[in-house]
Amino acid sequence: RNEKPKSLMDLGAFQELLVLRCARPDRVLPAILGYVAATMGEKYVKPPPFDISGSYSDSSNIAPLIFILSPGSDPSSALNMFASEKGKEINSLSLGQGQGPKAEKLLDE
C-alpha cells in the first residue's frame, strides 16, 4: 500500500521527509537517499568504486593504508590481489578488544 494519507497530499517531497522524521525516524535514511537520487541524481547516492591503485600511490611508509570499514564492506580480496600483483606482503588486523597492541606492533615493523 503506497497511498499517501490525505493530510500529506499537499506536501512537497522535502516536507514529507520532515513529517517522516517525526513519525518514523527509522525510515528517514532510505527516504533521504531516495529524495537525493530523485532530485539530484543517482550519482550522489552511489559511492564511487574504490581506487586501490590510486590509494596505494598516495601511501608511504609513514602514511600507510588503513581501512575503516562499514558493515558489509570487505576490500580484502581486492587488496590481496593488488598486493600479489605488486609483489608486496600485506598485514591485516581486525581491531577489537585487545587488538590495539598488536596493531601498534604491526605499524612499528
Side-chain angles (χ1 to χ4, degrees):
R1 174 180 149 133
N2 290 333
E3 295 178 30
K4 289 185 197 178
K6 290 180 183 177
S7 58
L8 296 179
M9 290 295 188
D10 294 331
L11 298 181
F14 186 76
Q15 292 169 323
E16 285 182 26
L17 285 175
L18 299 177
V19 171
L20 185 64
R21 170 70 176 95
C22 295
R24 292 295 307 264
D26 59 312
R27 302 264 174 114
V28 172
L29 183 59
I32 289 174
L33 292 174
Y35 174 79
V36 170
T39 58
M40 298 176 67
E42 284 286 325
K43 71 178 184 176
Y44 292 100
V45 295
K46 299 281 185 195
F50 179 62
D51 178 18
I52 197 161
S53 178
S55 296
Y56 177 75
S57 65
D58 289 342
S59 69
S60 70
N61 62 337
I62 58 171
L65 291 178
I66 297 175
F67 294 91
I68 300 172
L69 306 176
S70 59
S73 64
D74 184 12
S76 61
S77 62
L79 182 60
N80 287 328
M81 187 168 49
F82 181 75
S84 67
E85 288 173 5
K86 294 288 185 181
K88 301 286 184 182
E89 178 186 338
I90 61 169
N91 295 304
S92 62
L93 177 70
S94 295
L95 290 178
Q97 230 173 0
Q99 298 297 314
K102 291 180 184 178
E104 287 177 355
K105 183 179 176 187
L106 282 174
L107 287 174
D108 289 338
E109 290 179 357

